[in-house]
Amino acid sequence: MHGDDSTTKEQASTVREESRPEPGILVTFVAGAPHFRVWPVGKTPLIVGRGATSQFVLADERLSRQHFSVAYEQGVWSVAELGSRNATYVDGKRIDRTWSGRGARTVRAGQTVLFLEEDLQRLGHPHRLTDEKVIVGPSLETALARVAQGARDGQNVLVVGETGVGKELAARTFHEAVRRTGPFRALNCAAVTEHLLESELFGHARGAFSGAAQARIGLFEAAHGGTLFLDELGEMPLAMQAKLLRVVQERQVRRVGENDVRSVDVRLVAATNRDLPARIREGLFRDDLYFRIAESIVPIPALRARPEEVPYLVRRALRESTDLVVDASLIDACLVRAWPGNVRELLGAVRSAAGAARLEGLRVVSAGHLLAQAWVGEGQADEAESADETNAAPARADVPDTVRVVRTMSRQEREVKILEAVRANPGADVTSVAVAFGVNPATVYRILQRAKRGE
């Protein structure tokens, strides 16, 4: 009996040891290309460089033979320069010989960017980082595996996550895992009015309402034998929620303007960036529908929790710009930024940065071309143009020189320069010009319109 107790204690100790976080570095970018390589780091400094005398060797000619060291102890990272002629940066800021602290994300030296990962076990799962169509790191792969399992188990799956994290990718993973012959159909519930939403989902008879010149099937019928993806489910009006619940329960639809019902065989996957339990408490979402839809709930991690994907996403954003080169500072800046709009925001920002580099006649896209904040929407851009300086990126070292110069100009001088840039670069879009000059895209549009009118 004593021997069994001893064995149990040893097993418990082994489990605790296996679950203990393993800090280390994730190499994300080396010499102009995305990279994926991990190495554990402890309290003994790990020497990084391009020479054989370094403990961790990287093929980057911009690195010194022994460039810097990195260590980790009790939640604190320590980075030290080792006499390199080139600088070392932590979270985009140059260090003076040594740096230590908590919560840092990146170390950059030469054309190499490392991510400081507090638990390498997160990166131990299979992933598809190099796939040309889909970029899926370990954290996202784990979430997608849960979606697929729910689909195979016959459950309705609710995917939750912030805007732009990849919820439609999760829905398509669900559809592929079901392995049915029917089609995949999708609807953004927030993009359709309540009246049209009923018609979109359930169809309508001819003459059911003004403009209904002919009968039309809804998405439930169109997805028969396949999958229906309801995005932004949390935005659905309460009245429509009751109708949706009936269809989910009875597997029958009634077109608007008809009395007959039609049977449908559809697998359902939904997504939301809302806290649905909170909306239930507020009386904005039906709990009975929630329990039907959310038989399996799968959170999709935000991009800031998936740093290994960032360099590959940057490459995707620039895949049509084969003449441009990515500087390590751009990857560094993208890894440090939180990206509240996630993948969608990052792709747009990098494309705008590429446009800004072109307008400056440069082939290298760097952090200086990545503006510090996203632009306001067109609907908010009707304010006086003098407010552009407030909406534009704040003055800082990595803002392009063009932006700093433009801020010293009068409005008339600025308009002349913007028009000159547009005429010199006829292929550039409004957003790219706005990025290069640090103004709102709506301002560029208004300047162009006034020029057309000869004002």
Side-chain angles (χ1 to χ4, degrees), residues 54-379:
S54 292
Q55 296 163 300
F56 192 76
V57 180
L58 292 167
D60 180 358
E61 294 182 356
R62 298 283 297 277
L63 289 177
S64 299
R65 296 183 183 279
Q66 291 189 345
H67 199 113
F68 66 92
S69 68
V70 58
Y72 181 91
E73 184 175 12
Q74 297 182 344
V76 176
W77 292 98
S78 299
V79 179
E81 281 196 330
L82 301 177
S84 168
R85 290 175 294 177
N86 296 324
T88 302
Y89 300 79
V90 173
D91 281 354
K93 298 178 181 178
R94 183 170 182 170
I95 67 171
D96 184 14
R97 296 187 180 179
T98 61
W99 175 93
S100 64
R102 299 176 183 270
R105 291 176 65 84
T106 64
V107 177
R108 170 166 56 94
Q111 283 297 304
T112 294
V113 183
L114 312 182
F115 186 83
L116 302 177
E117 176 60 59
E118 299 204 0
D119 190 4
L120 293 178
Q121 296 177 55
R122 179 187 69 79
L123 300 168
H125 307 290
H127 52 274
R128 293 173 277 166
L129 279 172
T130 57
D131 193 303
E132 287 299 318
K133 295 182 179 179
V134 178
I135 297 170
V136 179
S139 296
L140 182 55
E141 185 75 21
T142 299
L144 296 181
R146 290 185 58 193
V147 169
Q149 187 60 54
R152 289 191 290 268
D153 290 344
Q155 298 175 320
N156 293 326
V157 174
L158 177 64
V159 178
V160 297
E162 299 174 4
T163 297
V165 293
K167 295 190 286 293
E168 183 165 348
L169 173 61
R172 291 190 176 277
T173 299
F174 178 98
H175 177 65
E176 292 170 4
V178 171
R179 296 184 181 278
R180 305 179 90 199
T181 57
F184 175 88
R185 295 288 184 265
L187 176 68
N188 186 327
C189 299
V192 184
T193 63
E194 182 174 356
H195 173 67
L196 292 178
L197 184 57
E198 184 175 7
S199 174
E200 284 288 324
L201 288 173
F202 311 136
H204 62 256
R206 179 181 178 182
F209 50 83
S210 177
Q214 57 186 12
R216 181 175 181 272
I217 68 170
L219 287 172
F220 268 97
E221 288 184 74
H224 183 74
T227 303
L228 177 58
F229 171 44
L230 298 179
D231 198 7
E232 304 295 353
L233 180 68
E235 310 305 319
M236 181 177 286
L238 276 169
M240 272 304 303
Q241 292 176 31
K243 295 174 182 179
L244 176 61
L245 175 63
R246 179 180 58 79
V247 174
V248 173
Q249 289 177 329
E250 300 176 7
R251 296 181 178 275
Q252 293 179 327
V253 296
R254 180 183 288 110
R255 294 181 185 176
V256 177
E258 285 189 356
N259 293 322
D260 296 335
V261 295
R262 292 174 167 81
S263 297
V264 290
D265 177 20
V266 173
R267 292 297 306 277
L268 200 61
V269 56
T272 184
N273 59 6
R274 294 277 195 169
D275 182 347
L276 292 189
R279 289 179 73 78
I280 291 172
R281 293 190 294 272
E282 296 166 0
L284 299 174
F285 202 85
R286 296 180 62 104
D287 57 355
D288 46 4
L289 177 61
Y290 177 77
F291 294 131
R292 282 282 185 175
I293 296 290
E295 292 175 336
S296 176
I297 302 173
V298 181
I300 303 297
L303 182 59
R304 56 186 170 275
R306 294 148 45 189
E308 62 278 1
E309 297 178 24
V310 168
Y312 295 91
L313 290 168
V314 171
R315 182 172 67 179
R316 172 194 280 182
L318 300 178
R319 62 185 171 190
E320 295 179 1
S321 304
T322 55
D323 58 318
L324 297 179
V325 176
V326 175
D327 185 74
S329 66
L330 177 65
I331 302 298
D332 195 2
C334 288
L335 284 167
V336 171
R337 184 177 291 194
W339 299 113
N342 291 284
V343 175
R344 192 177 299 123
E345 182 188 3
L346 179 141
L347 294 177
V350 171
R351 289 177 184 129
S352 292
R358 278 206 176 92
L359 284 170
E360 292 184 346
L362 301 176
R363 291 189 62 249
V364 179
V365 189
S366 66
H369 299 111
L370 193 68
L371 289 189
Q373 66 184 59
W375 297 112
V376 296
E378 289 294 331

Side-chain angles (χ1 to χ4, degrees), residues 37-60:
R37 182 182 172 192
V38 298
W39 198 265
V41 172
K43 61 182 180 181
T44 302
L46 175 72
I47 299 175
V48 180
R50 65 177 174 83
T53 55
S54 292
Q55 296 163 300
F56 192 76
V57 180
L58 292 167
D60 180 358

